[in-house]
Amino acid sequence: MTLSDIELDALAEVFNVGVGQAAHALSQLAGAMVRLNVPKVTMVSKQGVAEELIGHGSERICAVRQEFSGVFNTEAVLMFPVQQSLQLVQMMVDDDVPLEQLGEMEQEALAEIGNILLNSVVSGIADMLHLQFEGSLPQVELGQVASVLGECEEIREDVLSLQIDFAIDALAIKGFLVFLLDVDSVASLQSNVRAFLASAS
């Protein structure tokens, strides 16, 4: 089961509402204007996400993982190439802190950034589609793309993938947010998106 182009476009609209809320919260955290944009929402295999991340320069990534349960259940995973995650943390905590000194505070800062972004995006979905979700605490991981996304036999499974562009001052960082959904959850999401489209027409 997959989502049509119209349904994915509707989800991009919904996601951008949540991402806009996250940009406001992250701007307050960073003390600088943070611009976020979701240029692309796709259903793609985990292998496709891995190849995209590797194409941006790293097989090792930092990931923030959080589970959400409700009308449908999903695990959201926000991922950055390692070097870009360090730059993102550096921008959020203090530009004067050298990258090599960020290790101890990196996980805490990434958990906070992920918590803000993931909860804003899911809250946007909940508000726009009139749903409710309960979220777990965020968990930070560091590892190979494939190991973060799942075992080898699961790598061909499709996920709902959002490309998120971060821009703070002159620095641009590309992150990826994927929602791991089972077949029943994709069907439930699709049903709710169709109801959203019908109500808007």
Side-chain angles (χ1 to χ4, degrees), residues 133-145:
F133 294 98
E134 294 288 335
S136 67
L137 293 175
Q139 303 292 322
V140 178
E141 296 179 33
L142 174 65
Q144 300 288 328
V145 178

Side-chain angles (χ1 to χ4, degrees), residues 86 89-90 93-105:
L86 285 171
V89 170
Q90 186 183 40
V93 295
D94 189 341
D95 280 344
D96 295 329
V97 178
L99 284 177
E100 59 271 18
Q101 294 181 15
L102 283 174
E104 292 183 4
M105 65 179 74

Side-chain angles (χ1 to χ4, degrees), residues 26-150:
L26 291 174
S27 294
Q28 292 183 318
L29 181 67
M33 180 64 73
V34 176
R35 296 181 298 280
L36 301 179
N37 185 37
V38 179
K40 191 171 165 184
V41 178
T42 57
M43 289 291 291
V44 63
S45 69
K46 292 178 182 176
Q47 181 67 44
V49 174
E51 290 172 355
E52 187 98 15
L53 275 161
I54 292 169
H56 284 89
S58 179
E59 292 190 13
R60 287 178 61 79
I61 60 170
C62 280
V64 183
R65 184 187 299 271
Q66 199 165 0
E67 295 181 358
F68 294 91
S69 58
V71 173
F72 55 86
N73 300 319
T74 183
E75 189 172 24
V77 187
L78 177 65
M79 298 172 289
F80 303 96
V82 168
Q83 187 64 21
Q84 292 200 2
S85 73
L86 285 171
Q87 291 175 328
L88 182 61
V89 170
Q90 186 183 40
M91 288 186 299
M92 289 296 176
V93 295
D94 189 341
D95 280 344
D96 295 329
V97 178
L99 284 177
E100 59 271 18
Q101 294 181 15
L102 283 174
E104 292 183 4
M105 65 179 74
E106 182 188 2
Q107 287 202 1
E108 183 178 345
L110 273 177
E112 179 65 17
I113 292 167
N115 190 48
I116 290 171
L117 184 55
L118 295 175
N119 280 286
S120 295
V121 169
V122 173
S123 293
I125 297 172
D127 290 344
M128 295 289 284
L129 302 185
H130 307 293
L131 305 174
Q132 290 187 332
F133 294 98
E134 294 288 335
S136 67
L137 293 175
Q139 303 292 322
V140 178
E141 296 179 33
L142 174 65
Q144 300 288 328
V145 178
S147 68
V148 170
L149 286 174

Side-chain angles (χ1 to χ4, degrees), residues 14-30:
V14 169
F15 285 134
N16 268 309
V17 172
V19 165
Q21 295 170 349
H24 178 70
L26 291 174
S27 294
Q28 292 183 318
L29 181 67

